[in-house]
Amino acid sequence: MSENTKSAKLSIDGKEFDLPILSPTAGPDVVDIRKLYAQAGVFTYDPGFTSTASCDSTITFIDGDKGELLHRGYPIDQLAGQSHYLEVCYLLLYGELPTPAELEDFECRVTNHTMLHEQMMNFFRGFRRDAHPMAVMTGVVGAMSAFYHDSTDISDPWQREVASIRLIAKMPTIAAMAYKYTIGQPFVYPRNDLDYASNFLRMCFAVPAEDYEVNPILSRAMDRIFTLHADHEQNASTSTVRLASSSGANPFACIAAGIACLWGPAHGGANQACLEMLNEIGTPDRIPEFIARAKDKNDPFRLMGFGHRVYKNIDPRAKVLKQSADEVLDLLGVEDNPILQVAKELEAAALADPYFAEKKLFPNVDFYSGIILEAMGFPTSMFTPIFALSRTVGWISQWKEMIADPQNKIGRPRQLYLGSTARNYEDIENR
Ligand code: CMC
């Protein structure tokens, strides 16, 4: 970030204020309003942060108009096609692609932390069997701060590192156990001779009576889904993690806050909502009815898996997933999957419709991911937990960046107050 010679002028009641303009390495310039209140006595108003940069960051860049997503400068399609999840984790966490020795060391550290404290099994058992796995994950990840005290001191870089590795390593175990618990099957412990994605698939689908043979093509597809969800700059859950951590809260509490935020249907919960919507549409002849509902201002229905705050072009992750969906279904011998057919025809119908074109609404990452996950055997309730486990590395990378930033201070937005001004309390009998 460099300070420009450019500045913005703000005029209030005839008084002029100069606001510095900061230039990023990519993306639009940013007007620096940090001293605005001190100098001019006014706040800015921006609900939903549509025009506000909440931090500076070197991790991920999105060009929403071009439909471009870069991690540390590397395009997501290259990472999804040529790299793999743990290498992308290393890139996000440490800023550069690893050498073979660095990657081996990192994989070894992650692998050594895949097991959960045995007493945590009791914690799972406290939940109802019909709990949503996201509810279980929020609780269990929050509870990690009660099990791993030796990595909660955020002022100690070594403890921050151990907490980061623990979270990345244990999240697949937690997600898989949350699933096993809700279907009443015994927990399957991690196996460290398997790669990250294969280990997760096995923990979800093996049972003590019968092991699960991991198909390398499915494991590759799983790994690609993890990679495509790894980070996405200052989205709602990442901003939640940053805000929670700005108070000095421990990493497990902050990541639990991120999981809770991700669950909402406007964010990570959209993958479950999207597949439910595609199933409800059921057959292509019903597409016009649903398109009409999405356009109707009096109907709260929205096309799930469509639209994005930042992308005003096709989400590059959706492009990769559409291709992956064809590959996975082919591999599984699912010919003419009716839901994939509905998805493809719905996408084409929406893209040809002036409403979606004018509002620049395109398919996002959640549009095709559910079709792949369902074909792999996951129930819809596991879609958002898989998003959460993949995004953990992004949350942690942003959390680490924030803690190391000397400018880090507690997040404390202001407000435009529209309530009553000061008034006197009335005794209850006089109201
Ligand atoms: N279907 C129909 N209309 C839509 C949709 C949609 N999916 N998305 C936005 N619009 C319309 C909206 O009604 C509004 O119209 P108008 O200007 O006439 O009031 C306009 O487009 C702008 O929408 P917005 O809600 O102001 O935009 P936003 O940036 O606040 O919301 C969004 C972005 C992703 C929450 C929204 O597009 C949405 O609800 N999409 C469906 C849920 C979804 O797929 N979420 C996943 C997002 S990507 C993964 C992730 O973040 O986890």
Side-chain angles (χ1 to χ4, degrees):
M1 170 178 64
S2 66
E3 202 163 306
N4 235 322
T5 43
K6 284 192 284 180
S7 69
K9 284 207 186 312
L10 178 70
S11 170
I12 303 175
D13 294 336
K15 265 183 109 181
E16 291 230 319
F17 301 93
D18 268 332
L19 300 170
I21 292 184
L22 308 174
S23 286
T25 47
D29 282 352
V30 173
V31 180
D32 179 353
I33 57 160
R34 278 174 294 181
K35 298 202 174 110
L36 181 64
Y37 178 57
Q39 289 173 352
V42 294
F43 300 144
T44 55
Y45 180 60
D46 185 19
F49 297 103
T50 52
S51 306
T52 298
S54 60
C55 61
D56 53 75
S57 180
T58 61
I59 302 172
T60 292
F61 173 73
I62 304 172
D63 184 326
D65 293 324
K66 275 206 253 169
E68 178 181 70
L69 167 60
L70 310 176
H71 292 321
R72 304 284 191 184
Y74 296 101
I76 190 64
D77 53 326
Q78 289 183 21
L79 294 174
Q82 294 162 251
S83 180
H84 60 90
Y85 183 66
L86 281 186
E87 186 177 60
V88 172
C89 289
Y90 186 100
L91 174 69
L92 289 167
L93 285 167
Y94 306 112
E96 294 297 336
L97 288 169
T99 62
E102 286 166 339
L103 183 60
E104 194 186 331
D105 171 65
F106 179 67
E107 287 182 337
C108 181
R109 282 189 290 140
V110 170
T111 306
N112 278 326
H113 280 282
T114 50
M115 274 170 51
L116 288 186
H117 191 294
E118 193 60 18
Q119 217 176 321
M120 286 190 92
M121 307 306 151
N122 301 331
F123 199 82
F124 279 91
R125 293 192 177 100
F127 287 95
R128 282 171 56 135
R129 289 277 178 193
D130 59 357
H132 194 288
M134 280 300 275
V136 177
M137 279 183 86
T138 312
V140 171
V141 173
M144 284 176 79
S145 43
F147 286 88
Y148 302 103
H149 313 126
D150 58 343
S151 52
T152 52
D153 178 358
I154 61 161
S155 64
D156 177 348
W158 185 83
Q159 292 200 30
R160 296 206 296 265
E161 180 65 18
V162 174
S164 307
I165 298 290
R166 277 186 170 143
L167 278 157
I168 294 166
K170 294 184 199 305
M171 207 56 91
T173 315
I174 294 173
M177 287 185 173
Y179 171 53
K180 286 295 195 190
Y181 184 74
T182 58
I183 56 169
Q185 288 186 3
F187 298 136
V188 174
Y189 285 71
R191 248 187 47 199
N192 288 350
D193 58 324
L194 296 176
D195 63 72
Y196 194 85
S198 304
N199 178 46
F200 175 64
L201 287 170
R202 185 183 163 274
M203 285 191 292
C204 288
F205 298 125
V207 286
E210 201 173 319
D211 208 353
Y212 173 79
E213 195 71 30
V214 186
N215 182 317
I217 299 180
L218 287 191
S219 152
R220 178 77 193 111
M222 187 78 260
D223 189 88
R224 191 174 286 161
I225 287 182
F226 293 161
T227 301
L228 290 171
H229 290 83
D231 190 47
H232 214 229
E233 53 119 306
Q234 309 312 319
N235 55 82
S237 57
T238 303
S239 300
T240 300
V241 171
R242 279 186 177 256
L243 193 59
S245 115
S246 77
S247 72
N250 77 67
F252 305 111
C254 296
I255 301 303
I259 296 174
C261 176
L262 185 78
W263 193 1
H267 193 8
N271 50 15
Q272 173 170 351
C274 180
L275 200 83
E276 285 164 1
M277 174 193 78
L278 294 173
N279 278 318
E280 196 189 339
I281 297 174
T283 46
D285 57 303
R286 295 193 65 205
I287 289 173
E289 177 196 329
F290 281 80
I291 296 250
R293 282 188 60 196
K295 288 159 50 175
D296 181 354
K297 281 268 152 257
N298 300 316
D299 187 332
F301 173 78
R302 284 185 170 200
L303 275 195
M304 299 316 285
F306 250 83
H308 199 275
R309 171 64 60 78
V310 184
Y311 292 119
K312 301 301 162 203
N313 201 327
I314 190 156
D315 179 338
R317 302 167 300 173
K319 267 192 212 163
V320 179
L321 282 171
K322 184 176 181 179
Q323 195 192 333
S324 244
D326 280 326
E327 284 166 13
V328 170
L329 266 58
D330 254 14
L331 169 82
L332 296 172
V334 186
E335 277 159 31
D336 308 326
N337 175 288
I339 295 306
L340 182 59
Q341 197 51 34
V342 170
K344 285 184 175 172
E345 292 194 26
L346 178 62
E347 179 190 353
L351 293 180
D353 191 297
Y355 171 93
F356 293 89
E358 273 157 28
K359 295 188 189 301
K360 299 192 173 157
L361 300 170
F362 293 88
N364 61 49
V365 69
D366 295 315
F367 196 68
Y368 284 105
S369 61
I371 294 172
I372 305 175
L373 293 172
E374 190 185 50
M376 285 177 165
F378 289 104
T380 50
S381 62
M382 274 304 285
F383 296 178
T384 318
I386 288 169
F387 193 155
L389 98 76
S390 321
R391 181 56 56 85
T392 297
V393 69
W395 292 328
I396 292 170
S397 306
Q398 304 266 350
W399 166 79
K400 281 180 83 181
E401 178 178 69
M402 178 181 165
I403 296 203
D405 181 353
Q407 301 206 55
N408 174 24
K409 46 165 79 180
I410 188 163
R412 200 338 183 156
R414 300 298 191 134
Q415 65 173 1
L416 169 64
Y417 178 67
L418 297 174
S420 303
T421 52
R423 49 184 171 160
N424 289 325
Y425 178 80
E426 294 273 2
D427 284 335
I428 195 158
E429 59 274 14
N430 298 332
R431 284 174 220 158

